[in-house]
Amino acid sequence: VTESRVADVRSRTEQLPPINFADNNDIEYQLMRSRISLAFDKSSAHAIQQFSAELNSSDPIASIAARYGLALAYAKAGQLANAKQTLQPLLDAQPNRISYIVAYAEINSADADQAMVEQQLSKQLALNPDNYPLSMALVRSLSQQKKYPAAQTLLEKISQQYPENPTVWFKLAETYGFNHNRVGTHRASAEYYILTGSMDQALKQLDYALQKSDKSFQLTTKIEQRKADIRSYQEYLKQF
C-alpha cells in the first residue's frame, strides 16, 4: 500500500462523524446491561443477590438499573409478587418508558387476566407506533389469551418491518399453526431457516407449502419464486 493511499485513508477517516458510544450515564444502556447480565446468569438466586447489593449505589442510574434487573430476576425465579413490587417505583417514576412497560408485561405474563397487560401495551403502541419490543410483547399477550388471529395480523406486520429477524418468522410460523394455516406455517418456517443458514430445510418447507397450496396459481408462483431465490443463493455461495 502506497504512502499516498495510507494518507488518503487517514484523511477520510478523520472526516467521519464521531461515534457516540453509550456511556455509563445512559440509563437505557444501563437497563440493557442489567437485562443481558441476567440472561447470562445461570442462577436466579445469584442474580437476585447481585442486583440487591447494587440497589443502594451512590450512582442513581446504577441504582435504577439494579432495581430493573432485580425485578426481572425475581420474575425469572418465579417470585412474581416481589417482581411487581420491585418494578412499581420505576413505573411510577416513568410510566411511559418502554423498557419498564415491556418488563411489566413479562412479569405479568403468568397472570390469568391478560386483558390489562394487552390494554397497557396497546396504549403504549399508540404512542410508539411499530416499536419492536412493545409489538412482540403484545404478540405474547395475545397468544396467551389465545387471540391467535390478532397475533398473526400483528406478526405479519412485524415481519414486513423486520424481515431479517429469525425470531419473528419463528413466532409467525408457530402462530400460523395455531390458526391452522399450514401453508403459512411452512412459508414462515422457510424464512426462518433461510435466516439461520439452513437452505435445504427451507426448500423442504417450501415443498410442503406447495403440497398444501391447493394449486392456487398466485400462491404457487410466489412459492416457486422463493425456491428459485434460494437455489440462486446456493449457487452464489459455491463461488467461495
Side-chain angles (χ1 to χ4, degrees), residues 18 86 199-200 219-220:
T86 303
M199 300 301 167
D200 290 338
L219 182 56
T220 298

Side-chain angles (χ1 to χ4, degrees), residues 23-41:
D23 59 40
N24 292 337
N25 293 321
D26 185 329
I27 185 168
E28 199 62 32
Y29 171 69
Q30 292 299 330
L31 295 178
M32 292 306 101
R33 281 191 62 184
S34 292
R35 182 177 280 276
I36 292 170
S37 174
L38 176 61
F40 283 94
D41 199 324

